[in-house]
Amino acid sequence: MKVGFVGLGLMGLPMAERLIAAGNALFVSSGNQAAAEAVRAAGGTVLDNVAAVAREVDVFCSCRVTPAHSQAVFLGDDGVVSHGKAGTICIDFATIDPATSRQIAAELGQAGMPYIDAPVSGGPDGAVAGTLSIIAGGPQHAIDAARPLFDVVGKRVFHLGDSGAGVMAKLCNNMISITTHALVAEAMVLGTKAGLDPRALYEVLYSSSGYSRTLERVVPNHFLTRNFEAAATVETVKKDLECAIDTARALGVRLVVPNSALQCYVETVGLGHAEKDIASVILPMEAIAGVKVGPA
């Protein structure tokens, strides 16, 4: 298949490389020179801009970050809607809000281009291994046509319904995970301040009702080792919470815990940790408490 791809970040680059390895003709545009060169070295074609990519391909994939990014890629003057051809399948792997997804789907649909909102779960490791979960919203015929690509980058495809349904389900998932990161951080800071050994506390939590996959990820891999290199940045997860909260407000749903967690991430960004891992949410908590979870 002739596939376009923009958004060669922590998730996008390994996904693009897998698509090339599976025999697809991949066309990319990227402001990240190192990522563009990695795609070129793998056998992909690097073009100057989104418009040039859109003119070449039958399937156009985007894996950027914010709703504004998705709007620019698909609906901008230099975007897919203006330069792609009717029948081009458009896939957005970003986690954005459902209202924006529905807007993009409607405008692309008028140009004869089916749109799938297909946020992914599994992190950079899953992107490298091709084991992502793909959470899709959009027309069945488009998802069927895109299935060979989905099977290259993921191991499970969930079709939740019409446009916007995929990102809505992903926001529900991320809302749980992101707020849990903040809660686990608070628990670890509290226990450490009270004199508990952080590793011993983790072992108790791991073996008790406080267990979660978030706990298993963040404490041994980040808090205890003081590793804040990003697998998911604070800025990105803050955006996810904001999308969930804005959507809930539009639907008349009260979200108490995510709003509280959002303030923790706003504070983390304010202290200069926007591009660090979500685990960095613990850093302001440690500073206030005067303790460090992990080796001194």
Side-chain angles (χ1 to χ4, degrees):
M1 300 176 75
K2 295 179 72 175
V3 181
F5 207 108
V6 298
L8 301 176
L10 292 171
M11 300 290 292
L13 178 57
M15 291 169 71
E17 290 173 330
R18 289 191 63 84
L19 290 172
I20 295 170
N24 298 286
L26 198 76
F27 299 81
V28 307
S29 173
S30 178
N32 183 329
Q33 189 63 33
E37 288 305 316
V39 167
R40 197 193 309 274
T45 301
V46 181
L47 300 177
D48 290 338
N49 49 49
V50 170
V53 174
R55 285 190 286 265
E56 293 288 338
V57 302
D58 304 308
V59 180
F60 190 105
C61 304
S62 179
C63 190
R64 298 195 68 193
V65 181
T66 68
H69 288 154
S70 292
Q71 287 174 319
V73 167
F74 291 107
L75 305 182
D77 291 341
D78 296 322
V80 180
V81 73
S82 298
H83 300 276
K85 56 184 178 290
T88 299
I89 298 171
C90 298
I91 303 171
D92 193 355
F93 291 116
T95 301
I96 59 174
D97 62 284
T100 299
S101 285
R102 288 192 291 268
Q103 176 203 5
I104 294 171
E107 296 195 30
L108 287 173
Q110 291 175 0
M113 302 180 198
Y115 172 80
I116 305 169
D117 52 290
V120 294
S121 182
D125 289 344
V128 171
T131 57
L132 298 171
S133 292
I134 298 162
I135 309 163
Q140 185 67 57
H141 70 89
I143 290 172
D144 290 342
R147 188 63 188 247
L149 301 182
F150 290 158
D151 288 343
V152 170
V153 299
K155 66 176 182 178
R156 296 194 70 182
V157 178
F158 299 90
H159 185 195
L160 271 292
D162 294 334
S163 298
V167 290
M168 188 67 253
K170 182 68 188 308
L171 289 178
C172 291
N173 175 82
N174 286 15
M175 185 175 74
I176 295 170
S177 175
I178 295 164
T179 56
T180 302
H181 272 82
L183 183 59
V184 169
E186 288 187 327
M188 293 301 298
V189 169
L190 174 62
T192 302
K193 181 70 173 184
L196 298 178
D197 175 77
R199 183 165 294 279
L201 174 58
Y202 167 68
E203 291 172 358
V204 170
L205 298 176
Y206 182 88
S207 301
S208 304
S209 60
Y211 170 79
S212 68
R213 289 180 64 181
T214 296
L215 175 88
E216 185 177 7
R217 170 196 183 268
V218 75
V219 178
N221 298 329
H222 295 277
F223 294 167
L224 296 180
T225 60
R226 312 308 294 174
N227 170 24
F228 298 107
E229 182 178 350
T233 69
V234 173
E235 188 64 54
T236 297
V237 301
K238 174 176 166 289
K239 174 268 303 179
D240 290 352
L241 274 185
E242 289 168 341
C243 284
I245 290 166
D246 289 345
T247 301
R249 186 178 296 115
L251 293 172
V253 175
R254 184 186 69 168
L255 297 181
V256 175
V257 178
N259 269 287
S260 296
L262 178 60
Q263 298 312 306
C264 296
Y265 292 101
V266 168
E267 183 178 36
T268 306
V269 169
L271 292 176
H273 306 306
E275 298 305 316
K276 293 181 181 177
D277 190 80
I278 182 176
S280 300
V281 71
I282 199 172
L283 298 176
M285 302 174 188
E286 291 178 327
I288 292 168
V291 296
K292 183 180 291 187
V293 175

